[in-house]
Amino acid sequence: MNERPGAWLPRLQEVGERLAEEWISARRPARPDTPQPQELRASDDDRERVAQVLQDAHADGRITLEELEERLGIVYSARTLGDLVDLTADLLPADEQPLRLDGRPVSAFFKQEQRGGRWVVPAELDVTAMFGTTKLDLRDAILQNRRIVINATLVFGGLEIHVPEDLEVIRVTKDKTVRLTKQPTEPGAPVVEVRTTNFAGDVKVKEPPRRKRRR
């Protein structure tokens, strides 16, 4: 039976992603001292994000007034991110959720994969790009630690990181450490350490426009 050209590509992507996740899970030690994403404290902004989704769902008839009032009661009494995430799980797809606690590896095999919005960046994140590109947007993210380690495996692939102000990104290879962010940061600012294992791979950092100094 003849297959149309390119029909094998989705299967190859799926197999590659599964193997990458299994390999990473097997080699990574547990870190019991690190708070889990669902245990992190929720901010007022986090509560408002969830409340807005609920209000929109009520406005277009997906939840009743009673359901809205019940869920809003939970929203405004929530202490942690884990208290909030389930309230919108049945209202939006996973990639459109107002809060994302998914700390799984980010893998791109022959495609582009990205993670952004209000998401928790785990203390250690594995990224794989093989003939593809991974994009991490940290501008609205919550960092689980002041120092984040990204283990990037790049094979003819790329990693692109969008950063907010006052966040430093360094790249660590076997023989050297290079600072990738150009703008100065305050002492004690958060640091993202990218440890790369690559073959013809590239890491790019996108910074916000430099603020003009007042005269």
Side-chain angles (χ1 to χ4, degrees), residues 6 52 57 83 85 92 94 99 147 158 172 186 209 212-214:
Q52 186 60 57
D83 295 332
V85 290
L92 292 173
L99 298 174
R147 190 177 191 90
V172 180
E186 297 292 333
K212 294 183 179 180
R213 293 181 178 179
R214 295 182 179 180

Side-chain angles (χ1 to χ4, degrees), residues 83 157 166 211:
D83 295 332
D166 206 30
R211 290 186 178 182

Side-chain angles (χ1 to χ4, degrees), residues 152 154 157-161 169 171 180 194 196 201-205:
L154 310 174
L159 168 61
E160 184 176 298
I161 307 174
V169 180
R171 181 177 183 175
L180 300 182
V194 183
T196 54
D202 192 23
V203 179
K204 296 181 180 179
V205 175

Side-chain angles (χ1 to χ4, degrees), residues 85-181:
V85 290
D86 291 338
L87 297 173
T88 58
D90 59 345
L91 300 176
L92 292 173
D95 59 349
E96 297 179 18
Q97 289 292 324
L99 298 174
R100 300 179 63 184
L101 308 187
D102 182 7
R104 293 181 301 172
V106 183
S107 303
F109 292 85
F110 298 92
K111 64 177 181 179
Q112 176 178 296
E113 190 67 32
Q114 60 184 7
R115 190 166 296 174
R118 188 67 167 170
W119 64 293
V120 176
V121 186
E124 190 168 351
L125 177 67
D126 293 283
V127 172
T128 304
M130 181 179 293
F131 296 95
T133 302
T134 52
K135 293 187 176 182
L136 305 179
D137 191 340
L138 308 183
R139 289 173 292 184
D140 203 21
I142 304 168
L143 304 183
Q144 194 173 8
N145 273 6
R146 299 288 291 178
R147 190 177 191 90
I148 299 294
V149 175
I150 296 178
N151 299 307
T153 302
L154 310 174
V155 181
F156 290 100
L159 168 61
E160 184 176 298
I161 307 174
H162 292 254
V163 300
E165 291 183 347
D166 206 30
L167 189 151
E168 183 179 14
V169 180
I170 60 175
R171 181 177 183 175
V172 180
T173 58
K174 289 183 178 180
D175 54 349
K176 62 181 178 180
T177 298
V178 178
R179 190 177 192 271
L180 300 182
T181 41

